[in-house]
Amino acid sequence: QVQLLEYGGGLVQAGDSLRLSCVADGSSFNILGLGWFRQAPGKEREFVAGISWTRTTNYAESVKGRFTISRDNAKNTVYLQANRLTPEDTAVYYCASRSFGLGTPGERYERWGQGTEVIVSS
């Protein structure tokens, strides 16, 4: 019953930054673990970052130091601040949720958003 909606993607140049947002409804946001995933053409979907319902964070090695995940429970929103973007970051970015989730790469997420596209030109 949780519904997720991502937005904030776009076309940027290498070195630029974007802030992606995902708004959730249909459930108690406070108990949701949330993850950001991405999928590039011809590649498998991969975990980018996650945040638990207790606000513990996890990051893929490829984005550590560049991306930051955060949440605002008052706005039912999870964010992904993506800095120093490179063409390798080009992908459709999805958010996902799990009740009492830990925001880790391998756990089973229950609901997924429709995705928002990020294109980074060189």
Side-chain angles (χ1 to χ4, degrees), residues 6-19:
E6 309 98 327
Y7 58 93
L11 174 62
V12 298
Q13 293 183 323
D16 285 351
S17 298
L18 281 174
R19 188 199 198 194

Side-chain angles (χ1 to χ4, degrees), residues 9-32:
L11 174 62
V12 298
Q13 293 183 323
D16 285 351
S17 298
L18 281 174
R19 188 199 198 194
L20 307 183
S21 301
C22 175
V23 181
D25 62 15
S27 183
S28 176
F29 187 82
N30 290 349
I31 64 169
L32 293 179

Side-chain angles (χ1 to χ4, degrees), residues 28-67:
S28 176
F29 187 82
N30 290 349
I31 64 169
L32 293 179
L34 298 146
W36 284 98
F37 295 77
R38 66 188 182 188
Q39 187 166 25
K43 296 184 178 180
E44 299 262 316
R45 184 180 63 197
E46 65 175 343
F47 174 85
V48 177
I51 186 165
S52 74
W53 73 285
T54 58
R55 295 190 292 170
T56 301
T57 59
N58 301 281
Y59 296 94
E61 290 295 327
S62 60
V63 305
K64 278 184 179 177
R66 297 191 297 122
F67 289 14

Side-chain angles (χ1 to χ4, degrees), residues 68 70 88 100:
T68 303
S70 61
E88 292 300 309
F100 297 105

